Structures are given as C-alpha cells and as structure tokens.
Amino acid sequence: MNLDQLRKELNPEQYKAVTTIDGALLIIAGAGSGKTRVITFRMAHMLDMGIPQSQILALTFTNKAAKEMEQRVKELTGKKLQNLTVSTFHAFGVKILRQDIDKLGWRSNFSIYDETDKSQLIKETGRELGYTTDALDVYKVGNLFSNIKIGRWDWQGPNEIYKELYEGYQEGLKLYNAVDFDDLITLPIQLFREHPDVLAKYRDRYKYIMVDEFQDTSIQQYQFMHALADKNVAVVGDDDQSIYSWRGANYENITMFEKDFPNVQEIRLEQNYRSTETILAAANGVISHNTNRKDKSLWSGNGSGKPIEIYMPENETAEADFVSEMIQSMCISEQRKYDDFGVLIRANTLSRALEESFLECNIPYTMSGGTSFYQRKEIKDIISYLRVIANHDDDINLLRIINTPRRGLGRKAIEAFSSVATEHQCSLWTAIIALLAAYHNSKDELPGTASLFDGNEETETDDERIAQRMPAFETPNILSEKTAIEMEAFVTLIENQRQIMLSGKGLAKKVHNLVDEIDYFGYLITEYQKSEKAARFKYMNIESLINSIEIWENDPDNFDPSLFTYLNRITLLSRDDMEDDSDKGKVNLMTIHASKGLEFPVVFIVGCENGLIPHARSLEEGEGNIEEERRLFYVAITRAKDKLFLSCCRKRRKMQSVVECEPSPFLDEIPAHLVEYHEPSTVADDDVAQQILAKMKQKFII
C-alpha cells in the first residue's frame, strides 16, 4: 500500500502515526479513534518498507486483540506472515521461558498455575507451616503475593507475617516445576538481568516494538518492554481509559516513557468513529473533572444523535424490567438484534435481577466472566487422573494428582522424585518406578502390598509390560517405608485403571468408579470442613462431568468413544471459540471492566448510584481512586454508538435489608442539555402494537 493510498484510508493524525517508523513514538488514542486500525496499518506499512517481519514485535493484552491484529495485517498485506510476532505480554513471556527457564532452575516443560492451582499451593504450604484453616484467607494471601511480585506492595507492616509463607509458596512452585501468572513477566525480567546474553538475543531480533493499551501496562511490563526496546518503539494508549490499577496497571508509565525516551514524538488521535456527538460530549464532560490527565477532547462526525436517557426506578426489579422492556421494544420498533445491546454493571452482584428478568422475558443473553467448567479445581483433578492414566509421562498432571487426595507425601518425597528425574533426564513417573525398584532391592518384601517388581503374581504379559516399564538406570534407595507404601499404592492404582479404561466400553461408568476408588468426595468433605454444602456442590460438578462423558460416548455419530479420543476432544475445546459461536444473537451482560475495547449500538449502564459508581470499596482503598472510578464511568459511556441509557434506583436490596440510594455524583458531570429523564410508556401505540401482534403470529406459522 503506497503513501497515496494511506492518505485516502487514514485521517492526517492516523497517517502520521502509521508512517512514523523510526525512533520513539507516543500515540495518545482516544476511545473509538481507530487505534487498532493505526497499529495494523503501521505494521503493514513497515513490511511494505522492507522491514523483515521477524524484526517486528507487537504486544497487547488479550489473545482476542492479538488474533484480530494479526488477521488484519495478513488481510492488508495478502501474506501469511509466519514470522511476525503479535502476542500478549504473558504469551511472549511464556515463549521466552520455554527457551531459557532452565537457566533459572526450572525444567522447560513447566506448568502454569491458574488461580485455582495457586490457591491450592498456598493452602498446602500453609498447612505445612502450621496455619489453621481459619487463620488463612487464601484469596487475601494470593492477592498479597501477586502485589509483592509485581512491585505494588512490599513486606512493610502487617504484610511481614506472610513472608515465610511466601517463601514456602515460591519453593513449592519450583518444586512442582510450575510458575504462576505473575512469573510470566517477572521471570523473563530476571532472565534478562542475570543473563545478558539472553537479552542480547531478543534485542538483536526485535528491532521494532509496538505496545497496545499502554495505559494498562504494569511497572514490570514497562520494564519488560524497556529492556527489549532499543530506539524504534511505539506505544499506543489513552490515560483516560486506565482502569486496571487494582491488577498493577500504572498509567504513569506514559510519563516514564517520555523520560526514558527523551526524543519521543507525540501524536493525538481525537476523532472518534464510534459514537454520536451527544455521547462524546457526555464523556468529555465527565472526564474533564479529572486533573491528572493529558488534555484532549474527542469529537465525532456522526451527528448529534439521540439524547441520553436517565431512568430512576423504584428498585432493582423495576430496573431490570425496564432494561428488558426497552430491549424488546427496540428490537421491534428499530429492528434491532439482541447482540446490539450491551448491559454494563459495576459489580457482578448486580447481575441477578437482570438475569432473572431476561429469563422471564425469554431474552437470550451471555454473561461474561466467571470460571470455565473445565477450569474448576475438582474437574481439573479428575481430568488430570485421566491424562496420567492415558500417559504416565505427563509430569504436569502427575504432579497435580500425586497428593490429591492427600497421600501423606511431603515435599521431601516430591523433591526426591524430581531430583532423580532431573539427574537422569526422565519423566517423574520413570523416576518413581526407579526409586520403588531401589526400595524393593533393599528390602526382602514390602509388607501388606502386592509387589509390582518381582513378577511372582503377574502373568507373563504383565511381566513383559513391567520389564518394558523399568528404567535402564539404577538409583539408591532413599524412600521411607511409608512413602514407598503410598507410592506403590498410587502406581498400582494408575496401572490398574489404565487396563480398565483402555478395555471395552462404558467410559463414563469407569470414570465414576475411579472417583469412588480415590474417595474424592471424602477429600472434598475434608477440604471444606466448614461447608458440607460446598463439598456437595463440587461433587455435583464431577457428576455433571461424568454425565457429559456418557452423553458424548452414546452419541451415534461418535465412532471412537475411547479415553484418548475424549482427552483430545476436551483439549481442543476452546472457551473463546465456544463463546464466539454461542454468544451471537444474545444480549451482552458484563461488568464495565469486561466491556473495555468493545462497542454496542445501544448501551445500558445500570446501578448509577453513589457507592456503586464510584464504588465505595474502591474509594476506601485510596483517595486517588475517585479519578479511576471516573475513568471507568468514561469507558462505560464510550462503549455506546447510537443510544445510551443510565439507570439509578431509588432503593436497592443489599444483603438482607433495603437501603435508600443516591444518584452517582458522576451523573451531575454530564452537561444537562444532553440528558432527558425517561418515563416509560404504559401502553404501546398502535404501530408498535401491530408489530408486536404480527411478530407473535409469525411464531405460530408452521
């Protein structure tokens, strides 16, 4: 694409941002100003200028954004671009660690702990250090550990009591050959610092770096980028949309960037292509009350549009019914589709009344957030058993189940298995077999257990199988009798289950028997001593898993209902893909945080009340948070393209009581001439009534 074509496709500021390739560049991109377009055109222009694709690195925050950028560049250039790197910060961190984490003492096949795994390790570490269940708030401690890692907090004051627990947690991660989400940024920085040759390798490769959503970068992500960047670096962001300080984002990175790259050029994108002038004027009116920001004013060529409507219902039930009624009415009167609507809430607790109303009115909707079924701990535990049964050498899943349910194995035992695996460059399973063999060689007989190694009670086929399984190396006996008994029982369980699972049909029933054999329900009861109800809920999830296996294996189109086929199937299940397919044609119910980067023709912001927007808890955590809460409201407003509704209840149920509500102070910051107060009509006019009737008749036409 030549320069004349670029001038036709882009406005003057976008054109300048796209064609400025050399040196440091700060692009301040207001909401809806086409920043993704600028980034993708910029990459395409760089390629047209002869820059090798392997020298370009573009970093963003979500896989969805990365895929969208990469796809757009491919469409613009008509090339496959297999050597172009468009990645999230964390995925790029994984790429670096897969290559060089051994220099920090991990094995390259490390696992990445999610929040569930992280909480479990904190519990386990706390238990070893003598913490009682009552004394350990796992969520609070996990949040502390994350903030320590990303540099937001330190060990001063009350945090210091958890320092030993943190050190034990870190040791546990290394022992289990695992990293947590924060490590995906902090460990590459450590690698760069301690091994300059590793840093030099990446700086030599990536000569041109771009960072999207720069206002959302944490201090560590900034350091990560700064270490990699030589001189040709472009960052794109908007300080008015910085809403993630609670997870480490530091909007002052924009100021740091200007200091660290003194010859930086700044370009501001202020033309909004998304919203009407009314919506932008409301957004500008609100955000102008923030003092710590780069001054900018978005403008639109989309016309003035409709006024913003504020509705003040009696309570949350009336509020939800108002949203449902307006959606249904606009679907008919304006020929809207359900996925034209975004319903934004400040906190997940506001969703219940809305969901109930949507269900009652048969309005299809999708609620973003929450935990995927296959990410629940209890489901991951059972799936891990199945994976190890199918493949004994799966270290990641073996480590997950080796002490779940607890078998009394301490860290020393796991360290022994891990050290043998590292020394002989073998899997943990092979190391366990070798250590058990060494134990048997040092003992005449293991009391109370059937030997897996002497062959006296095995068939010839089993003897051959065991001979093939035995490692070629020898190791001294370092196992205690208790550990040897527990591990022999575990090995026997896995071996027997493998024979069962791989023979015949009825996979669901076999999985059910496995769950019974390991007494997983008993484990849940022990884990959730305070709430048997919680334990039963977790077990019901396992029953749902087994039921889904039964449905799958009984599907007449399923010609291979084997364990291996099932495991391959759930591996390929992508939550994002499922959502992309299933969420079409549905109302989008989500938190304001989750809505960032999205847009909808019609937006409802519900719960515009003091204490919710701005949120009381956020204000309690710091005086400066009022500006971030205002930025959050600004982000919510700028999601709307054509029409914006704001609702504020007079009363709202909180816990077991009903409280009086006050309107959000942010509502007063919207210029009054842009707003009208909504009075819902009680009777539909003749035209609307006729359309409703016609639509109802269509449903009965065969």
Side-chain angles (χ1 to χ4, degrees), residues 594-659:
S595 74
K596 188 168 178 295
L598 304 177
E599 59 183 45
F600 307 99
V602 182
V603 167
F604 296 84
I605 307 176
V606 304
C608 295
E609 300 144 26
N610 198 17
L612 288 174
I613 305 176
H615 202 285
R617 187 176 67 243
S618 180
L619 298 185
E620 289 170 2
E621 292 173 354
E623 292 181 8
N625 285 355
I626 184 66
E627 294 214 344
E628 176 151 338
E629 288 292 305
R630 187 177 283 112
R631 292 194 294 268
L632 190 61
F633 191 54
Y634 170 84
V635 166
I637 292 173
T638 53
R639 298 311 95 196
K641 296 172 68 176
D642 305 325
K643 182 67 178 178
L644 176 63
F645 293 92
L646 308 172
S647 67
C648 165
C649 289
R650 292 183 170 89
K651 298 178 182 178
R652 187 176 293 276
R653 179 171 291 277
K654 291 186 178 178
M655 304 299 285
Q656 301 302 317
S657 60
V658 176
V659 298

Side-chain angles (χ1 to χ4, degrees), residues 306-466:
K306 300 174 183 177
I308 294 166
E309 294 190 41
I310 296 180
Y311 182 51
M312 301 185 71
E314 182 64 24
N315 54 36
E316 68 271 18
T317 301
E319 179 181 56
D321 290 342
F322 160 71
V323 174
S324 294
E325 289 164 11
M326 290 306 303
I327 289 173
Q328 289 179 315
S329 173
M330 295 177 77
C331 280
I332 295 170
S333 62
E334 300 180 17
Q335 301 299 303
R336 297 281 186 188
K337 299 176 293 184
Y338 283 125
D339 54 9
D340 284 341
F341 298 91
V343 183
L344 310 186
I345 55 180
R346 177 62 180 87
N348 279 313
T349 53
L350 300 180
S351 73
R352 184 189 59 80
L354 290 161
E355 292 189 74
E356 288 178 358
S357 181
F358 290 162
L359 291 170
E360 185 176 338
C361 296
N362 293 316
I363 295 175
Y365 72 94
T366 174
M367 174 70 191
S368 67
T371 304
S372 164
F373 179 77
Y374 287 99
Q375 291 302 310
R376 297 179 187 274
K377 180 189 181 301
E378 61 275 15
I379 302 302
K380 290 177 73 173
D381 285 346
I382 303 307
I383 296 298
S384 289
Y385 266 97
L386 297 180
R387 292 195 186 281
V388 172
I389 288 166
N391 174 18
H392 298 344
D393 295 325
D394 186 334
D395 284 0
I396 293 171
N397 285 291
L398 178 60
L399 280 170
R400 183 179 187 90
I401 64 171
I402 196 169
N403 213 21
T404 304
R406 286 195 292 277
R407 297 182 170 85
L409 297 176
R411 287 192 176 180
K412 288 185 177 179
I414 298 172
E415 283 175 354
F417 305 144
S418 183
S419 63
V420 171
T422 301
E423 180 184 353
H424 295 282
Q425 296 184 328
C426 64
S427 69
L428 283 170
W429 179 268
T430 301
I432 290 169
I433 297 299
L435 286 168
L436 286 175
Y439 179 85
H440 277 274
N441 289 336
S442 67
K443 304 286 182 180
D444 294 331
E445 185 181 0
L446 189 61
T449 59
S451 173
L452 289 172
F453 300 94
D454 58 17
N456 292 337
E457 299 178 18
E458 303 275 2
T459 64
E460 184 177 352
T461 303
D462 289 335
D463 280 342
E464 293 172 356
R465 174 173 55 82
I466 290 172

Side-chain angles (χ1 to χ4, degrees), residues 131 140 144-145 147-148 152-164 166:
Y131 281 82
K140 175 185 173 183
L144 167 64
F145 288 1
N147 279 293
I148 290 289
R152 286 187 74 208
W153 298 350
D154 55 32
W155 291 113
Q156 299 294 322
N159 294 341
E160 191 174 5
I161 63 172
Y162 295 107
K163 193 170 184 180
E164 184 182 9
Y166 176 80

Side-chain angles (χ1 to χ4, degrees), residues 494-533:
I494 298 300
E495 289 279 12
N496 290 345
Q497 283 292 330
R498 180 179 174 84
Q499 293 184 57
I500 293 168
M501 293 281 182
L502 300 188
S503 62
K505 298 180 179 180
L507 181 61
K509 186 175 181 180
K510 293 172 184 175
V511 174
H512 191 280
N513 291 338
L514 167 66
V515 173
D516 285 345
E517 184 171 352
I518 63 176
D519 189 21
Y520 197 84
F521 182 66
Y523 166 70
L524 290 173
I525 292 292
T526 303
E527 287 290 295
Y528 297 91
Q529 294 176 8
K530 291 184 177 180
S531 176
E532 185 175 330
K533 184 178 180 181

